[in-house]
Amino acid sequence: MTVPVITIDGPSGAGKGTAARLIALELGFHLLDSGAIYRILGLAATDAQIELDDIDSLVSLSNSLDLSFPYNAEGTEIVLNGVSVGDQLRTQAVADAASQVAVHPPVREALMGLQRRQARAPGLVGDGRDLGTIVFPDANLKIFLDASVEVRAERRYLELIQSGQTVERSAILRDLEIRDVRDRTRKVAPLVPADDAYVIDSSDKTAAEVVADVRDLCRAKGLA
Ligand code: DC
């Protein structure tokens, strides 16, 4: 049986995570936050003092990860090997480490099975960078959610401030720009829309408006 899959790819801060969670909630589908996988790997490598270009060690670390993403209307929980890991993933340092470990093809390959296994009945909504292009090339609906870098930086700033972190607006913008270039220009699985992706620009939209757009596309595809 093939399980329906919806992918939402795009740059950091475009609102992928919220849109994916709300659509998954409406459809009763499972959720895959693929960025969290790269963040966990970046964090685990840093904690274990593994260099972010030590590919062999990163691959064996990747093979030891067992993850699930229970969620509700308020948010998504990330459960690693049975333990909930939360806010520690949402720092700029971890985001940067994630983007660095994500450039290595063997690491991406090692994480493929973990991501594909999340496609279980009754369906999956996943968000990331390469879900529609590489991980789920046959997805039933592919969205590419974009927004201007200024809007994305402002959203990330508010998110970090709300979670109690002390951050500078200008540093967030600079980090996002560096990460964008790295994610868009890497040789393997760069951040690009799939040929058959629907591009939505969320710069001037609320989360509810983005979800309404995605819901319409789901209906058009017979998924809702
Ligand atoms: O979506 P995020 O900000 O949590 O992702 C963190 C980093 O992980 C991002 O800068 C690049 C990497 N990533 C990736 O390479 N492929 C994915 N499918 C998801 C994230």
Side-chain angles (χ1 to χ4, degrees):
M1 191 189 77
T2 53
V3 169
V5 173
I6 299 170
T7 58
I8 305 182
D9 289 310
S12 187
K16 305 183 298 288
T18 304
R21 176 169 51 83
L22 295 177
I23 287 294
L25 196 64
E26 285 191 13
L27 298 176
F29 281 11
H30 296 283
L31 189 64
L32 163 63
D33 174 356
S34 64
I37 298 180
Y38 290 92
R39 284 173 185 260
I40 281 176
L41 191 59
L43 178 65
T46 310
D47 282 353
Q49 296 187 332
I50 292 170
E51 297 290 333
L52 300 179
D53 57 1
D54 177 349
I55 294 177
D56 289 346
S57 302
L58 291 172
V59 166
S60 50
L61 207 51
S62 304
N63 290 331
S64 71
L65 301 179
D66 175 25
L67 279 162
S68 60
F69 306 93
Y71 65 91
N72 59 24
E74 274 75 52
T76 304
E77 207 184 332
I78 295 152
V79 178
L80 170 64
N81 301 328
V83 180
S84 179
V85 292
D87 293 344
Q88 43 177 336
L89 294 182
R90 296 276 142 219
T91 68
Q92 284 301 106
V94 171
D96 187 59
S99 172
Q100 289 190 54
V101 298
V103 301
H104 307 303
V107 172
R108 304 195 70 85
E109 189 57 41
L111 293 172
M112 198 71 83
L114 175 63
Q115 295 177 81
R116 290 187 174 149
R117 280 198 298 281
Q118 309 300 319
R120 288 173 281 124
L124 179 73
V125 183
D127 82 88
R129 304 292 188 289
D130 63 338
L131 297 192
T133 49
I134 310 282
V135 184
F136 298 108
D138 299 324
N140 303 64
L141 172 62
K142 300 177 185 179
I143 310 284
F144 191 88
L145 192 57
D146 212 344
S148 73
V149 71
E150 290 79 14
V151 167
R152 293 188 287 115
E154 184 64 19
R155 287 179 187 157
R156 211 18 58 104
Y157 173 75
L158 293 175
E159 200 177 283
L160 293 172
I161 291 288
Q162 273 159 18
S163 74
Q165 298 183 46
T166 314
V167 283
E168 294 262 345
R169 264 198 178 82
S170 56
I172 305 261
L173 181 61
R174 195 187 57 235
D175 285 357
L176 261 190
E177 285 171 337
I178 292 172
R179 209 140 64 87
D180 273 2
V181 170
R182 194 188 294 133
D183 293 348
R184 287 182 204 267
T185 61
R186 69 183 175 216
K187 288 202 185 68
V188 167
L191 172 64
V192 285
D195 290 340
D196 50 351
Y198 294 87
V199 178
I200 298 175
D201 188 327
S202 75
S203 302
D204 298 316
K205 289 184 196 275
T206 62
E209 287 168 335
V210 171
V211 168
D213 288 352
V214 179
R215 188 186 300 124
D216 287 346
L217 289 166
C218 287
R219 291 211 175 108
K221 295 269 180 188
L223 289 165

